[in-house]
Amino acid sequence: PSISTSLTSICLGGSVTLTANSCNAGLGLVKWTDGLTGNSITVSPANTKNYRAICVSLAGCQSDSSDATQIIVVPIPSTPT
């Protein structure tokens, strides 16, 4: 599969939705990094992290892993004094 997202950088505490494309909808499931499942997932990593997805058929056959999509977590700036 390929992964699409509208953001590749988020502020610490923020979230982003990742969507796996090219898996046959209804014919299995999508497995993500950390064991999450579903065509789309919303993640809120504490640190910069790479996400990958695989398509899994109802018979349990797995596709190759997608290329990694990196979500960069940007620290929140200090409050001015």
Side-chain angles (χ1 to χ4, degrees):
S2 61
I3 299 174
S4 61
T5 181
S6 60
L7 300 170
T8 55
S9 294
I10 59 171
C11 294
L12 181 63
S15 63
V16 63
T17 299
L18 307 173
T19 302
N21 303 301
S22 304
C23 288
N24 295 331
L27 300 178
L29 58 92
V30 179
K31 283 189 182 177
W32 294 85
T33 304
D34 296 340
L36 300 170
T37 60
N39 268 6
S40 293
I41 58 170
T42 300
V43 296
S44 184
N47 298 298
T48 296
K49 186 168 185 173
N50 289 324
Y51 290 88
R52 295 178 187 269
I54 59 170
C55 303
V56 182
S57 72
L58 293 176
C61 302
Q62 295 185 358
S63 70
D64 290 334
S65 177
S66 67
D67 290 336
T69 295
Q70 185 177 63
I71 302 301
I72 299 167
V73 178
V74 180
I76 296 172
S78 300
T79 303
T81 57

